[in-house]
Amino acid sequence: MYRLTPDLAIVQSVDLLTPIVDDPRTFGQIAAANALSDLYVLGAQPRTALNVLALPGDDAYRDVAREVLLGGSDKLAEAGASLIGGHTIEDPELKYGLCVTGTVHPARMLTHTGARPGDGLVLTKPLGTGVLATAIKGGLAAPEHAAAAAASMTTLNAVASRVAVAAGAHACTDVTGFGLVGHLLEILRASGVGAVIEARRVPLLPGALDYCGMGMLPGGSARLKDTYACKVDVAASLDEVLADLLFDAQTSGGLLVAAADPEALVAELHAQGVSTAASIGRIVAEPQVRVTVVE
């Protein structure tokens, strides 16, 4: 974030992924949506982007690369942003992402700081993309489950961001590589508060609970659980599989918003087409920087 004038700041970020679905165009869309989320989480409007592409030197990848780039272009067009260049390197493994630039009014920017005791927590997309990606790679995901995961990951957080800003959200983060718990802890640390999550209110992708129960929690998600366990108190009665999904590393996940009136925020999100949004918990004063998970 860089303030240019009293009423204008630019936001810049870069993110790239290795393929998590088989279709190259869908992969390009997911990678672009994932990168653009870094702007939406701050309430910024995407303006420009640069492609970042790594691919093997084999000519067979040329058509794949074309489809990946077209997928990225799809999402930039949807976001109203302009592609103004990029860079390609040769690499043994395909990777794609974007360097993105957006603008925001400094006084209306969403940040991690600002969550207050009594705020509700609203999650705008279901969890489970890490588990579903593992099932897809293993050829075990049902087609309808794989399609639901792809649809979620290719959905921009644009509407959710706009609604959160209009509602006067106190704090916001996007749920990506550090999972729901990890990203929530960022808000708690910055705001000096704690949180309670009602696990059974957390939206999940179709099939996520079953695949997680089959042991398809990715290694990275398992490491997140080990890392954050010291900051989390989980009710003994809660199903372990459901608890595990709270640590699942997400790709192009939703926004996690702290707001004074979560039910009104959810209602407006639903009215604006974000049908998966749900109120999943609340901010508390104590214990600080700690998550309590209840049923």
Side-chain angles (χ1 to χ4, degrees):
M1 297 169 283
Y2 188 85
R3 188 166 62 184
L4 296 173
T5 68
D7 60 357
L8 179 64
I10 59 170
V11 180
Q12 291 186 301
S13 186
V14 62
D15 208 332
L16 70 163
L17 303 173
T18 55
I20 55 175
V21 294
D22 293 331
D23 181 70
R25 189 154 187 165
T26 301
F27 165 57
Q29 293 173 344
I30 292 170
N34 186 67
L36 288 165
S37 188
D38 289 346
L39 303 182
Y40 290 130
V41 73
L42 294 168
Q45 171 62 43
R47 300 297 182 185
T48 63
L50 301 170
N51 278 325
V52 182
L53 177 67
L55 73 163
D58 188 340
D59 286 346
Y61 278 86
R62 289 184 178 274
D63 289 341
V64 171
R66 175 181 172 81
E67 288 300 308
V68 169
L69 294 175
L70 284 172
S73 181
D74 291 341
K75 288 297 150 179
L76 288 174
E78 184 180 338
S82 298
L83 179 67
I84 59 173
H87 189 70
T88 305
I89 62 169
E90 187 174 319
D91 191 274
E93 186 174 21
L94 177 66
K95 303 176 183 73
Y96 174 65
L98 295 172
C99 176
V100 291
T101 300
T103 56
V104 64
H105 192 295
R108 292 194 290 271
M109 186 165 55
L110 300 173
T111 67
H112 293 165
T113 303
R116 308 168 188 174
D119 283 351
L121 289 169
V122 173
L123 180 64
T124 65
K125 284 188 186 182
L127 300 182
T129 61
V131 167
L132 263 295
T134 301
I136 291 169
K137 290 176 182 178
L140 298 174
E144 63 272 21
H145 295 161
S152 179
M153 290 186 285
T154 57
T155 298
L156 297 179
N157 282 323
V159 175
S161 175
R162 184 173 67 249
V163 172
V165 171
H170 293 157
C172 185
T173 185
D174 57 343
V175 181
T176 52
F178 294 106
L180 174 64
V181 167
H183 288 286
L184 174 56
L185 282 168
E186 292 178 340
I187 288 180
L188 305 186
R189 191 176 299 110
S191 301
V193 293
V196 175
I197 294 177
E198 298 176 51
R200 299 201 181 278
R201 299 185 70 178
V202 176
L204 303 176
L205 284 168
L209 205 57
D210 292 335
Y211 296 125
C212 190
M214 294 166 61
M216 294 189 189
L217 190 73
S221 298
R223 288 190 292 274
L224 290 176
K225 182 180 179 181
D226 291 340
T227 299
Y228 296 127
C230 62
K231 296 288 186 181
V232 182
D233 298 305
V234 179
S237 59
L238 185 65
D239 181 84
E240 185 178 358
V241 175
L242 177 54
D244 283 346
L245 283 169
L246 303 182
F247 298 91
D248 189 34
Q250 303 300 284
T251 297
S252 191
L255 301 185
L256 179 63
V257 184
D261 191 342
E263 300 307 326
L265 177 57
V266 169
E268 182 61 22
L269 286 165
H270 288 177
Q272 296 293 326
V274 187
S275 61
T276 54
S279 176
I280 66 165
R282 62 190 183 277
I283 296 294
V284 295
E286 299 286 346
Q288 292 184 6
V289 198
R290 196 162 191 89
V291 179
T292 301
V293 181
V294 300
E295 288 198 65

